[in-house]
């Protein structure tokens, strides 16, 4: 049982390049999330998808777009990468939208923008 | 605006000692308080969680103490082991706008030395 799988694990981009971070979960969870983790700032929510076919902005959505392709997959796209987007990106899923449904995280994508 | 404040930023404890990490929150709408543990190169994973109507929850060597009136909660790790060396995030969760809103603290890097 793989849980939440993220690809790629590492990526280096030049300013202005675009890329898509992929995420898939095999737990049949309804809700999926994208977070970024920066030193001293914890994890901040970029976008979330409460269910298949819906997406909404989180705390720090600027510069990102998302697609909930189906129940399993939730991708994050950077259209024109900026150095400020250098971060570790985590995808997560949860069974329900309920406050006490635990988040299951992937192992992250470490992105560097030069 | 940091809604969940976590301290200390880093902590070094000797094997067998007690590790204590503190968190404070501002929003009284939060109704679930999980702690996540993150090892290097991995995503965070749920460690233990508490509801605000309970003052203490214990699971093995890990205990959450919760003070609702002070809006503070803490994680105690008894008999700390080198395998506990990781980064710990406190969080506060609630349902908002149809999704599970989880606000994370900034993290505490724990090192347990033999």
């Amino acid at each position: 049982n793989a849980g939440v799988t993220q690809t790629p694990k590492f990526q280096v981009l030049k300013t202005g390049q675009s890329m898509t971070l992929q995420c898939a979960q095999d737990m049949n969870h309804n809700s999926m999330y994208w977070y970024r983790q920066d030193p001293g700032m914890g994890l901040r929510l970029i976008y979330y998808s409460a269910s298949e076919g819906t997406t909404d902005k989180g705390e720090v959505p600027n510069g990102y777009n998302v697609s909930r392709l189906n129940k399993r997959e939730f991708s994050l796209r950077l259209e024109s990468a900026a150095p400020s987007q250098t971060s570790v990106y985590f995808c997560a899923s949860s069974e329900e939208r309920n406050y006490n449904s635990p988040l299951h995280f992937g192992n992250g994508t470490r992105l560097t923008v030069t | 605006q940091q809604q969940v404040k976590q301290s200390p930023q880093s902590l070094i404890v000797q094997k067998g000692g007690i590790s204590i990490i503190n968190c404070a929150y501002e929003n009284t709408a939060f109704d679930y308080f999980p702690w996540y543990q993150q090892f290097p190169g991995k995503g965070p994973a749920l460690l233990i969680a508490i509801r605000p109507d309970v003052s203490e929850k214990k699971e093995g060597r890990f205990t959450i103490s919760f003070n609702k009136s002070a809006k503070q909660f803490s994680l105690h790790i008894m008999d700390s082991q080198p395998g506990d060396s990781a980064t710990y995030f406190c969080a506060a969760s609630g349902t908002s706008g149809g999704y599970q809103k989880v606000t994370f603290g900034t993290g505490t890097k724990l090192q347990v030395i033999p």
Side-chain angles (χ1 to χ4, degrees):
Chain A
N1 209 356
V4 178
T5 302
Q6 291 183 237
T7 55
K9 288 183 170 50
F10 301 94
Q11 184 70 49
V12 178
L13 291 178
K14 293 184 178 178
T15 297
Q17 288 185 320
S18 63
M19 78 161 295
T20 299
L21 282 64
Q22 306 286 353
C23 174
Q25 52 94 6
D26 62 4
M27 295 173 282
N28 201 36
H29 285 171
N30 289 310
S31 300
M32 296 187 74
Y33 312 80
W34 276 105
Y35 286 88
R36 59 178 288 172
Q37 182 177 17
D38 302 290
M41 301 192 75
L43 293 114
R44 294 180 292 168
L45 182 66
I46 306 171
Y47 269 92
Y48 68 96
S49 171
S51 61
E52 184 179 355
T54 68
T55 61
D56 267 298
K57 296 178 181 179
E59 302 170 59
V60 290
N62 291 345
Y64 306 95
N65 284 302
V66 291
S67 296
R68 183 74 182 266
L69 304 170
N70 47 55
K71 192 171 185 179
R72 291 186 64 247
E73 298 173 288
F74 188 37
S75 62
L76 178 72
R77 182 160 179 84
L78 286 70
E79 290 291 352
S80 179
S84 61
Q85 295 178 304
T86 293
S87 186
V88 182
Y89 292 85
F90 287 98
C91 177
S93 68
S94 66
E95 187 169 359
E96 298 293 342
R97 311 174 200 181
N98 297 341
Y99 66 92
N100 61 350
S101 185
L103 296 173
H104 298 260
F105 286 87
N107 286 331
T109 294
R110 186 175 294 273
L111 175 66
T112 302
V113 183
T114 61
Chain B
Q1 181 185 1
Q2 186 65 42
Q3 292 193 42
V4 178
K5 296 183 179 180
Q6 182 172 349
S7 62
Q9 189 173 352
S10 62
L11 183 60
I12 299 175
V13 173
Q14 284 210 310
K15 179 182 175 182
I18 302 173
S19 304
I20 301 174
I21 304 170
N22 299 300
C23 285
Y25 64 98
E26 298 170 3
N27 188 346
T28 55
F30 292 134
D31 49 16
Y32 195 62
F33 299 87
W35 285 85
Y36 284 82
Q37 180 188 54
Q38 183 181 29
F39 293 104
K42 301 293 186 182
L46 180 67
L47 179 65
I48 187 173
I50 195 168
R51 290 175 52 112
D53 55 351
V54 176
S55 61
E56 185 175 281
K57 183 172 182 180
K58 184 176 181 180
E59 289 185 1
R61 296 183 294 106
F62 299 90
T63 299
I64 302 177
S65 297
F66 190 86
N67 185 330
K68 188 174 181 177
S69 61
K71 293 190 284 186
Q72 295 175 347
F73 58 112
S74 60
L75 177 69
H76 291 63
I77 306 174
M78 311 300 288
D79 187 26
S80 299
Q81 299 296 313
D84 297 330
S85 297
T87 298
Y88 293 81
F89 292 95
C90 63
S93 173
T95 303
S96 172
Y99 80 103
Q100 183 191 161
K101 180 178 171 69
V102 182
T103 302
F104 287 89
T106 51
T108 296
K109 187 171 183 179
L110 171 66
Q111 183 182 359
V112 181
I113 54 176

